[in-house]
Amino acid sequence: MKSIKEAQSDLVNDTCAECGSYVDIGAVVEESDIVLQLTFTGDAAKEDAQALADKAKARFNDVVVNLVQQNDDWQLALEFGCSAEKMIFQLQNSLP
């Protein structure tokens, strides 16, 4: 952590004293960002969306799933209990 502080300008101190992080996690994770919305297209769109919904339900008990068809596409909305759950799920499944 000492090298991190030394590399910073004297005018800026944006390092967390406890962990050496450059960014306050509250600036990255917004508390109200709990809904992941995805669009699935193609012949297996419904099956792919349902498979991802099942994966979310298996990982997090309180996920609310909303799967709706719009024309030829399927819209999947996953509402997580907190923003950290949403972020974890996105990272574990390489989702945007």
Side-chain angles (χ1 to χ4, degrees):
M1 187 161 98
K2 184 178 178 183
S3 64
I4 294 172
K5 285 188 174 186
E6 289 173 354
Q8 291 179 343
S9 164
D10 292 334
L11 301 174
V12 176
N13 184 2
D14 59 353
T15 304
C16 173
E18 287 79 30
C19 65
S21 172
Y22 279 106
V23 178
D24 175 17
I25 194 67
V28 177
V29 179
E30 186 176 327
E31 184 179 348
S32 63
D33 185 18
I34 61 171
V35 178
L36 176 62
Q37 296 183 347
L38 301 166
T39 301
F40 292 81
T41 59
D43 294 336
K46 182 179 182 182
E47 292 80 11
D48 292 344
Q50 188 62 56
L52 192 62
D54 293 343
K55 191 182 282 191
K57 288 190 286 188
R59 177 69 173 89
F60 300 102
N61 295 330
D62 59 347
V63 172
V64 176
V65 175
N66 186 17
L67 183 58
V68 178
Q69 185 175 18
Q70 289 185 339
N71 300 321
D72 293 334
D73 299 338
W74 284 88
Q75 304 293 321
L76 174 64
L78 301 171
E79 184 177 336
F80 294 88
C82 66
S83 58
E85 288 180 353
K86 176 188 170 201
M87 182 180 284
I88 290 166
F89 188 74
Q90 286 176 284
L91 290 171
Q92 288 177 335
N93 294 282
S94 302
L95 298 170

